[in-house]
Amino acid sequence: MRQSSDDTGTNVIRRRRFLGVGAVTLGAAGAVTTGQLLTGNASASVGGSTATAGAGTSVSGSVFKLGVASGDPLPGAIVLWTRVVPANPGSSGILPPTVAVSWELASDSAFTKILKSGTVNATSSLGYSVHVDVTGLSPATDYWYRFKALGRTSRTGRTRTAPAAGSSPENLRIALASCQNWAHGYFTVYQDMRAQKPDLVLFVGDYIYESSAYSYRVRRHEGSSAPVTLAQYRARHEQYNTDPDLQAMRASAPFVVVFDDHEVEQDWAGDIANDPVAWPTATFLARRAAAFQAYYEHMPIRVAQKPSGPDVQLYRKLDFGTLARLHVLDTRQYRDDQATTQEGAMAAGRVIMGDAQRDWLVGSMRNSGRQWNLVASQVMMAETDYLAGVGKEWFYDAWDGYQVERNALLGDFQDIRNPVVLSGDRHRTIVSDLKLDYSDPNSTVVGAEFVGTSISSNGDEDLEAFAAEWAPKLADNPHWKMIDARRGYLLLDISADGIEVQLRAISTVVTRDGTTSTAATFRVEDGVPGVYMVGAQTGSSQSASPDESASSTDSPTPTETDSPTPTETESPTPTETESPTPSESASPSATESASDAATDVSSTASTADVTTTP
């Protein structure tokens, strides 16, 4: 890929996400230990990925410790996933080089009618992961599945296939999630997500964080340094997948996943590390290969998404009858290095998608024949102006850092039916119109974007400080409909006449007793570009424009600090859910609370309650 330059033509070595006094970087990753070198070349897996294992000792009790999952639903197929885990986390442990794993798929949770079954060999070279692409299934149908190996039976998972091609489903329910930092809080909000029974979970990046164990707020990361080898990335994924709420959610609905930066390293861009001096291209690509392999080993994705060294074909599309087509983008692997100046951000020829992916996306949307064209983007597409008053200040890691390509794509949206972008990364809920020209407040609206907040990253924030910082900047972002700093996720109900979106916010992530409720509701109408707010809870949230009804405006701090701010001690590792006999774990109840913090913008403004006029 091309290495970008600043406006003087000098190659950028140390990047900055945006410039300005008091600006704090978005994205949490501890500094990489520069003295730790990788072995092997850029195309090879590193860190003993093919280490063989000894034979012998029983591994009963740890075989399916990481649970089960399913993903990428098609009308007649689904991917089933598990991973056989040895006694020693992050290594080949005591398992033999190959482990036979049988699987069953049934029409009921009691497995009285098994429809499909088989046996696959889980190998040490892929971390004993299992990816079964079950075909010949019925569209829009619920199925239950389980695995068996070494005398143990996994928990039961539930999944669902996509609607048939040409069918017109009445509704598609998607939960949009991202950014789950183990060290910043618990993943409790998955209990509520599970109770909402989505058809699928769309996870748009930062499934793990590569921070070291020394920077934590609630729980400590495993290990003693940032992961750089395959064994270390495996260990980090293993830790995350032992979380009981995440594990239960993965067993309850199919996932559609894509990585962002923290699955590898904070702010990596194409072939360039965050610090290219400490990580020259060859060693960074070896690290990226290790990270990609560990990601594949822990995700319910098809063999088509299996990496080849430091490269992987992750962008893809999924159809849901005539109702919707979901395009999953990869905005990391093909991008140019981040800009460091506004001139650099506006330079022609700089890409975040790359030409091949852009042509694929635009062609697929134009020819989809679907009512809704959904685009999953790891980073925010709409503009964020961080500078109050005259002038602009951008966040260069997002689409704002690639202005020409972003604006060209928004121009293409004019000829595309119902484009809606679903993003993550910011640890904020930001709901906005997509506009043809952000320099003109009266510019044509061409679509809508929903940026989902984080599952836990940033932990519980000071909402009053957040509002005080961002209230002066809301007028500079008139296309925003809401910006909110609480943790949670977005729940989308897609039908023929519109998309209704709920912000499901949780009261706290620093303890396990957080309660979740609907903080705000938004709607996109069929054939009408843009989004409007339907309503919001009263209490303590914020909104950026007085749409339709009262709106609340929590303004976002562009921050994601993994800086050392220890507050509580590490929590114990969740217990294993696997059992020697087939069983389906009980579904946790929804954690709903009317006391959830939300602010009505129609009330008197304060630091936690801000109203703006476009």
Side-chain angles (χ1 to χ4, degrees):
M1 64 162 276
R2 298 182 297 276
Q3 169 128 355
S4 61
S5 302
D6 62 17
D7 54 320
T8 66
T10 304
N11 284 339
V12 175
I13 300 300
R14 298 293 300 199
R15 299 193 305 274
R16 298 292 182 269
R17 289 169 164 264
F18 58 86
L19 305 178
V21 177
V24 184
T25 59
L26 183 72
V32 175
T33 304
T34 57
Q36 184 166 14
L37 301 179
L38 302 180
T39 58
N41 58 44
S43 63
S45 299
V46 296
S49 64
T50 58
T52 58
T57 311
S58 169
V59 293
S60 178
S62 63
V63 176
F64 296 109
K65 181 180 179 181
L66 305 183
V68 301
S70 65
D72 279 14
L74 300 177
I78 196 76
V79 177
L80 306 181
W81 171 93
T82 193
R83 183 179 165 214
V84 175
V85 178
N88 301 326
S91 71
S92 304
I94 55 175
L95 296 178
T98 301
V99 174
V101 180
S102 63
W103 59 272
E104 297 173 331
L105 183 136
S107 59
D108 65 311
S109 60
F111 288 82
T112 58
K113 187 176 181 181
I114 297 175
L115 304 175
K116 301 276 185 176
S117 63
T119 300
V120 295
N121 288 324
T123 64
S124 60
S125 62
L126 285 176
Y128 302 101
S129 61
V130 175
H131 298 77
V132 180
D133 195 350
V134 186
T135 59
L137 304 179
S138 299
T141 301
D142 291 340
Y143 293 97
W144 286 262
Y145 62 96
R146 65 189 180 193
F147 298 90
K148 298 179 181 180
L150 301 174
R152 303 288 289 183
T153 299
S154 73
R155 71 184 300 159
T156 294
R158 172 204 165 271
T159 191
R160 183 173 177 82
T161 50
S167 67
S168 300
E170 292 184 2
N171 187 75
L172 173 65
R173 172 165 276 200
I174 297 177
L176 175 64
S178 64
C179 303
Q180 52 188 24
N181 192 319
W182 177 276
H184 285 184
Y186 298 107
F187 303 162
T188 322
V189 78
Y190 280 122
Q191 294 179 21
D192 179 78
M193 184 187 294
R194 190 180 184 198
Q196 302 303 322
K197 297 182 179 179
D199 294 310
L200 66 92
V201 178
L202 175 59
F203 199 98
V204 291
D206 294 344
Y207 188 91
I208 64 166
Y209 280 72
E210 84 291 13
S211 317
S212 72
Y214 300 111
S215 173
Y216 72 99
R217 302 179 186 181
V218 178
R219 302 187 283 187
R220 289 181 66 98
H221 277 129
E222 54 72 41
S224 59
S225 62
V228 296
T229 67
L230 177 57
Q232 290 169 334
Y233 280 114
R234 281 175 175 167
R236 187 58 54 89
H237 276 280
E238 288 171 14
Q239 181 183 43
Y240 275 60
N241 283 334
T242 59
D243 183 275
D245 297 317
L246 173 60
Q247 192 171 119
M249 188 66 245
R250 278 166 54 106
S252 299
F255 272 56
V256 175
V257 300
V258 66
F259 52 64
D260 190 21
D261 56 337
H262 289 288
E263 289 87 351
V264 181
E265 179 214 24
Q266 177 179 318
D267 288 358
W268 67 278
D271 297 345
I272 303 174
N274 183 281
D275 185 348
V277 173
W279 289 91
T281 300
T283 51
F284 173 68
L285 288 180
R287 180 183 183 183
R288 196 175 85 178
F292 281 6
Q293 179 170 332
Y295 185 81
Y296 173 77
E297 289 174 354
H298 292 86
M299 295 297 151
I301 48 183
R302 288 189 162 80
V303 174
Q305 278 67 60
K306 179 181 175 182
S308 175
D311 302 307
V312 63
Q313 171 69 52
L314 203 59
Y315 66 84
R316 59 202 189 278
K317 61 182 174 64
L318 297 164
D319 288 331
F320 300 89
T322 61
L323 183 61
R325 172 170 287 179
L326 173 61
H327 304 83
V328 181
L329 299 187
D330 177 353
T331 60
R332 282 288 160 194
Q333 193 176 181
Y334 312 108
R335 66 161 64 191
D336 285 304
D337 198 8
Q338 290 93 337
T340 59
T341 65
Q342 289 192 9
E343 292 79 5
M346 293 186 290
R350 300 189 70 256
V351 298
I352 191 171
M353 288 187 294
D355 295 341
Q357 185 175 194
R358 172 195 155 78
D359 292 345
W360 163 81
L361 173 63
V362 174
S364 177
M365 288 193 294
R366 283 179 172 161
N367 301 316
S368 75
R370 270 64 183 183
Q371 190 155 2
W372 299 95
N373 281 286
L374 309 177
V375 179
S377 169
Q378 296 99 316
V379 294
M380 184 172 174
M381 186 175 292
E383 181 180 83
T384 298
D385 183 0
Y386 290 99
L387 181 64
V390 179
K392 289 182 182 292
E393 185 178 274
W394 294 320
F395 171 46
Y396 295 138
D397 189 63
W399 288 77
D400 278 340
Y402 304 84
Q403 296 263 327
V404 173
E405 187 181 34
R406 189 268 307 277
N407 294 343
L409 180 62
L410 294 179
D412 291 327
F413 277 9
Q414 294 181 100
D415 304 322
I416 291 166
R417 184 174 184 182
N418 292 332
V420 176
V421 177
L422 307 174
S423 309
D425 182 59
R426 289 293 175 87
H427 312 168
R428 304 283 180 263
T429 301
I430 306 179
V431 178
S432 61
D433 289 338
L434 293 172
K435 308 195 77 171
L436 200 58
D437 181 2
Y438 286 107
S439 65
D440 177 8
N442 298 314
S443 177
T444 302
V445 176
V446 297
E449 181 175 29
F450 294 91
V451 179
T453 184
S454 65
I455 294 295
S456 67
S457 302
N458 271 31
D460 294 346
E461 297 191 54
D462 183 335
L463 297 183
E464 289 191 0
F466 170 79
E469 179 179 358
W470 276 86
K473 305 172 186 177
L474 296 179
D476 297 280
N477 295 278
H479 49 288
W480 288 355
K481 304 308 171 79
M482 176 184 239
I483 185 161
D484 187 286
R486 288 165 294 179
R487 310 285 70 84
Y489 68 99
L490 294 178
L491 187 65
L492 291 79
D493 281 294
I494 304 169
S495 61
D497 61 350
I499 300 179
E500 188 159 302
V501 181
Q502 301 176 51
L503 164 55
R504 301 288 296 172
I506 190 166
S507 58
T508 182
V509 296
V510 300
T511 64
R512 291 187 182 276
D513 57 359
T515 56
T516 308
S517 64
T518 299
T521 306
F522 306 88
R523 186 168 176 83
V524 180
E525 301 288 353
D526 175 38
V528 183
V531 56
Y532 64 92
M533 176 175 279
V534 175
Q537 282 185 345
T538 58
S540 103
S541 160
Q542 306 166 44
S543 151
S545 74
D547 258 349
E548 291 294 311
S549 63
S551 50
S552 37
T553 109
D554 281 336
S555 302
T557 310
T559 126
E560 196 233 9
T561 39
D562 251 59
S563 55
T565 53
T567 56
E568 296 184 27
T569 57
E570 175 184 3
S571 64
T573 302
T575 57
E576 177 182 344
T577 56
E578 164 195 355
S579 64
T581 57
S583 65
E584 184 171 16
S585 58
S587 173
S589 59
T591 51
E592 186 91 28
S593 170
S595 63
D596 183 72
T599 295
D600 189 338
V601 292
S602 64
S603 58
T604 303
S606 69
T607 55
D609 174 14
V610 181
T611 311
T612 63
T613 302

